Amino acid sequence: QVQLKESGPGLVQPSQTLSLTCTVAGFSLTSYNVHWVRQPPGKGLEWMGVIWNTGGTRYNSALKSRLSISKDTSKSQVFLKMNSLQTEDTATYYCASLHSSYMGYFDYWGQGVMVTVSS
Amino acid sequence: DIQMTQSPSVLSASVGDRVTLSCKASQNINKNLDWYQQKLGEAPKLLIYFTNNLQTGIPSRFSGSGSGTDYTLTISSLQPEDVATYFCFQYNSGYTFGAGTKLELK
């Protein structure tokens, strides 16, 4: 059964670094990518970045200078680190394994973790 | 970066109505577009992949179409359980979500 679960602090102080972990089950990180997507309260979805099965990464250009995504394949974990947090970074953060093409889809999301940036 | 523009931002419709949601890309995305449904407090749920393919278990009243820069999600007969926000998502070049269309009952 495919599962993804985000974990991390619910509260981060302004200017500090956010560290989140996505623990996956039911598939291998050597075969599928993992994306991070966030959603501020009452607002839309923002794609943040992806780590591909190969270990390559791609980031949202608006976040690129602050964001890093890495993984530990042996532990089935993907890590997000984002520095210089501000109040506008308050959001629910999702990890998801997404892959669609004309051949089919692989689409699984975590439940999300709410992160509040506040002093 | 590719920009995705969804319209309308809010849509009010009655049960049984045919509903059309639009998503326009800033450049050709070669049908590399999915549609998601998100209900309050839940993670997004994939409805349509690669423009016009229904995910397993999704009711047949949902359909997708489009090409080039213009894409559409249609609900043939709106049901109360369809009240949600709908997002398009392109993966042709990088990845981008649209801002969403909030679908309400009139």
Side-chain angles (χ1 to χ4, degrees):
Chain A
Q1 183 181 1
V2 173
Q3 290 184 324
L4 298 91
K5 186 171 184 179
E6 307 88 349
S7 59
L11 181 65
V12 179
Q13 293 197 336
S15 80
Q16 297 301 300
T17 296
L18 173 65
S19 294
L20 296 176
T21 299
C22 175
T23 302
V24 310
F27 69 98
S28 172
L29 294 176
T30 60
S31 297
Y32 293 93
N33 59 33
V34 170
H35 298 250
W36 287 95
V37 175
R38 70 177 179 176
Q39 186 170 37
K43 296 189 177 181
L45 302 169
E46 180 181 28
W47 180 80
M48 299 181 71
V50 60
I51 186 162
W52 288 302
N53 60 317
T54 58
T57 55
R58 182 163 181 164
Y59 302 115
N60 183 323
S61 57
L63 301 172
K64 189 174 184 178
S65 63
R66 301 196 287 140
L67 183 61
S68 174
I69 299 174
S70 60
K71 65 179 177 178
D72 184 331
T73 301
S74 66
K75 293 184 178 179
S76 295
Q77 292 181 324
V78 176
F79 310 104
L80 176 147
K81 289 189 187 302
M82 188 163 69
N83 58 31
S84 304
L85 254 61
Q86 301 301 320
T87 55
E88 52 265 32
D89 295 312
T90 293
T92 296
Y93 287 75
Y94 295 98
C95 61
S97 188
L98 311 175
H99 177 77
S100 293
S101 75
Y102 65 93
M103 293 189 290
Y105 65 90
F106 185 86
D107 192 282
Y108 295 91
W109 292 68
Q111 63 191 19
V113 61
M114 178 66 196
V115 175
T116 301
V117 182
S118 175
S119 54
Chain B
D1 293 0
I2 295 179
Q3 308 302 315
M4 303 299 292
T5 302
Q6 287 190 245
S7 60
S9 54
V10 179
L11 180 58
S12 294
S14 300
V15 172
D17 282 354
R18 181 180 181 88
V19 170
T20 300
L21 285 63
S22 174
C23 183
K24 187 174 181 67
S26 58
Q27 63 190 72
N28 182 3
I29 56 171
N30 298 301
K31 296 190 173 184
N32 290 298
L33 180 116
D34 294 344
W35 287 95
Y36 286 89
Q37 177 193 66
Q38 188 181 33
K39 296 184 178 180
L40 205 60
E42 298 182 4
K45 176 182 178 181
L46 180 67
L47 297 178
I48 303 281
Y49 67 95
F50 199 67
T51 293
N52 58 5
N53 297 275
L54 207 62
Q55 202 221 146
T56 303
I58 301 301
S60 59
R61 64 180 179 272
F62 290 92
S63 64
S65 64
S67 63
T69 61
D70 296 313
Y71 298 83
T72 298
L73 174 69
T74 300
I75 307 173
S76 60
S77 178
L78 185 66
Q79 300 303 303
E81 60 266 32
D82 300 335
V83 169
T85 301
Y86 293 82
F87 296 94
C88 59
F89 179 59
Q90 74 81 21
Y91 42 92
N92 183 71
S93 176
Y95 303 87
T96 318
F97 284 99
T101 293
K102 185 176 182 181
L103 183 54
E104 302 174 336
L105 282 180
K106 193 180 291 183

